Amino acid sequence: MNLHLNNRLFLVGGATSGFGKAITEQLISENAKVIAVARTIEKLKELQKLSDNIEIIAGDLSDEKVLDTIVNTIGNRVLTGAVINSGGPPAMPVLDTKLSDWDDAYKTVVRWKIGLTQALIPKMIEQQYGRLLYIESVSVKQPIENLVLSNAMRLAVVGYVKTLSQEIGASGVTLNILGPGFHATQRMENLFKKNSELKGIPESEIRASVAKQAAMEKIGSPNDFASLALWLLSPHSGYISGQTISVDGGLVKGTMG
C-alpha cells in the first residue's frame, strides 16, 4: 500500500528509542521528513545518520522551552502529523507513592502533551488536515501491576484527546491513541528489572510470565507497532478519530479491548 507520506513533514517525540525510533525509521523508509525530539543529543546525532530528512531537537518535552523550539523549527511549513510520545513515570505500587510523585507524573505524562497539542492544532485546523497520534499504554484499558502513576495519568490523556476529537471533528484533523501492551523496548526491560527487585525473582522469570499474559504468549515487536502507527499517520485513516486502539497481542481480556 502506498501510504502517501513522501516529502510530508512529521514530528516524533521520544525518537531515539522504542516506539518513537521504530516509527521514525519507518517514516524515513517512506521518504517522509521527520523532526526528531529526544533528550540525548548523541543518540539523536546517531539517528540523524539514517537520512538527510531528519532534523533533531535535543531536550525534555516537559520543558516549555523545548516546546517553543519545536514550534519555531516547524515555522511556516506544513506539519502533516505528530507522534506525541515520551517515557512514562516510575514504576511503583499505590501505597508507595507520595503526592510529589503524582505532581511529577502529571508534568511528565499529561501537561506537556496538552501544551504541545494546543500549540500545533490551530495551524492544522487552518490547513484542514493533520494527524495527531498519542502513544500511551494498554493500561488505559486494563491496569498494569505496579504502574499506578501511568495507569491513572494516561487515562487523563485519553479523556483530553477524546474530548478534543469531538470538538474539532469536522476540521480534517484526527486524533488517535495507540495503547501498546508488552513490547521489546528499553522501557519494558526497566520494568522487568523493577518487578524482579520487588518480587525477588529472576528477570527471566518475570519476562516469561509477562509474555504468557497475552493471548499470543509473546512480547511484541516495536516494528509491528510502528506499521499501524504509520497507517494512522497517513491519509488512509481519515475517518478514524478519537479512538484508543490496543496493540497488545490479546492482553486485554475485555470485549471492548
Side-chain angles (χ1 to χ4, degrees):
M1 178 184 289
N2 183 353
L3 294 176
H4 302 288
L5 302 179
N6 186 58
N7 286 323
R8 292 177 180 256
L9 179 64
F10 294 87
L11 173 72
V12 179
T16 59
S17 65
F19 302 122
K21 184 177 182 182
I23 292 169
T24 297
E25 291 173 344
Q26 291 195 24
L27 283 170
I28 291 302
S29 73
E30 295 287 335
N31 202 36
K33 298 178 179 179
V34 176
I35 299 171
V37 186
R39 291 184 177 90
T40 307
I41 186 63
E42 291 79 14
K43 290 183 178 180
L44 283 167
K45 288 180 177 178
E46 190 66 26
L47 181 69
Q48 198 173 28
K49 293 178 182 178
L50 294 176
S51 171
D52 292 337
N53 285 342
I54 299 178
E55 301 171 62
I56 59 175
I57 297 174
D60 188 332
L61 282 162
S62 64
D63 183 344
E64 291 187 10
K65 292 180 181 178
V66 174
L67 299 188
D68 290 340
T69 300
I70 290 170
V71 172
N72 291 334
T73 300
I74 295 167
N76 293 323
R77 292 181 291 176
V78 172
L79 183 70
T80 295
V83 179
I84 299 179
N85 168 59
S86 73
M92 62 181 74
V94 176
L95 295 182
D96 284 358
T97 64
K98 304 182 293 293
L99 284 179
S100 59
D101 295 320
W102 290 95
D103 292 337
D104 291 342
Y106 167 70
K107 292 176 183 177
T108 58
V109 178
V110 182
R111 190 180 188 277
W112 71 266
K113 294 174 185 174
I114 296 172
L116 180 57
T117 300
Q118 296 187 184
L120 300 179
I121 280 287
K123 192 171 181 181
M124 286 184 168
I125 292 174
E126 182 181 338
Q127 68 198 25
Q128 296 187 305
Y129 186 90
R131 298 285 183 265
L132 293 175
L133 183 61
Y134 301 76
I135 311 303
E136 297 302 330
S137 168
V138 75
S139 68
V140 301
K141 295 190 177 183
Q142 181 170 289
I144 297 175
E145 184 181 16
N146 293 320
L147 282 181
V148 64
L149 296 173
S150 178
N151 294 344
M153 288 298 175
R154 293 188 189 279
L155 279 168
V157 178
V158 173
Y160 169 77
V161 170
K162 184 66 174 183
T163 303
L164 181 56
S165 73
Q166 295 289 305
E167 292 179 357
I168 64 168
S171 68
V173 181
T174 67
L175 304 92
N176 290 292
I177 296 168
L178 286 180
F182 303 128
H183 288 72
T185 65
Q186 187 58 53
R187 167 72 169 167
M188 199 70 243
E189 290 299 321
N190 293 341
L191 292 177
F192 290 150
K193 182 177 181 180
K194 179 68 174 180
N195 279 321
S196 174
E197 292 170 355
L198 287 171
K199 297 181 178 181
I201 59 178
E203 286 184 41
S204 59
E205 290 185 25
I206 296 288
R207 188 177 289 103
S209 174
V210 165
K212 288 182 179 179
Q213 291 180 42
M216 293 183 176
E217 297 188 3
K218 64 179 182 179
I219 293 172
S221 163
N223 291 325
D224 291 340
F225 179 93
S227 66
L228 176 56
L230 254 65
W231 186 83
L232 287 169
L233 290 167
S234 80
H236 296 293
S237 64
Y239 201 54
I240 298 177
S241 192
Q243 301 304 304
T244 300
I245 303 169
S246 303
V247 187
D248 65 353
L251 174 68
V252 174
K253 303 301 189 287
T255 56
M256 303 303 289

